[in-house]
Amino acid sequence: MALTKVSFGAAGIPGYEIGDKSLPAVILIQEWWGVTEIIKYQAEQLSKQGFRCLIPDLYKGKIGVDAEEASHLMNNLDFKNAVDELKQAVDYLQATGSPKVGATGFCMGGALA
């Protein structure tokens, strides 16, 4: 199974999803670089372990190409809004079939999880 682009919530928050909708879900939250290939790989690995995975794109497609830009993206992130978007991710996963939802993240994503 491959990652699929999705949008969820009232504002159509972008993200990536993988795994059967009936499985328990994990929200995988990006590090300060954004939704990189490494984050996508981690979602694929969780999927192979029997989880549905959703990666909300909190930067809406932007990627930090160096530490300065990644720092700028993270420092400009509205963390209160990001938490609201993660709550909408939970609602989306539950409404579309996942019986349980957890969250994990890396770096900045770990703080939000």
Side-chain angles (χ1 to χ4, degrees), residues 1 4 7 11 18-19 22 27 39 46 49 61 66 72 78 89 98 110:
M1 190 173 268
T4 305
S7 60
I18 189 169
S22 66
I27 300 169
I39 297 299
L46 283 168
Q49 299 300 314
D66 58 32
H72 178 73
D78 180 343
S98 289

Side-chain angles (χ1 to χ4, degrees), residues 23-108:
L23 293 171
V26 176
I27 300 169
L28 184 60
I29 309 168
Q30 69 197 47
E31 51 191 348
W32 77 331
W33 300 105
V35 179
T36 63
E37 293 303 313
I38 294 168
I39 297 299
K40 292 175 184 177
Y41 174 79
Q42 294 299 328
E44 291 167 349
Q45 296 307 303
L46 283 168
S47 173
K48 290 178 184 176
Q49 299 300 314
F51 295 96
R52 177 184 182 192
C53 248
L54 175 66
I55 308 169
D57 187 350
L58 301 177
Y59 292 166
K60 314 299 185 272
K62 296 178 183 166
I63 300 283
V65 295
D66 58 32
E68 183 178 346
E69 186 174 4
S71 176
H72 178 73
L73 288 168
M74 183 183 74
N75 289 331
N76 286 319
L77 181 66
D78 180 343
F79 276 81
K80 196 171 186 180
N81 186 63
V83 169
D84 183 59
E85 290 181 354
L86 296 173
K87 290 176 184 176
Q88 291 179 59
V90 172
D91 293 342
Y92 164 75
L93 291 165
Q94 289 176 330
T96 55
S98 289
K100 295 182 180 182
V101 178
T104 192
F106 301 92
C107 187
M108 177 193 78

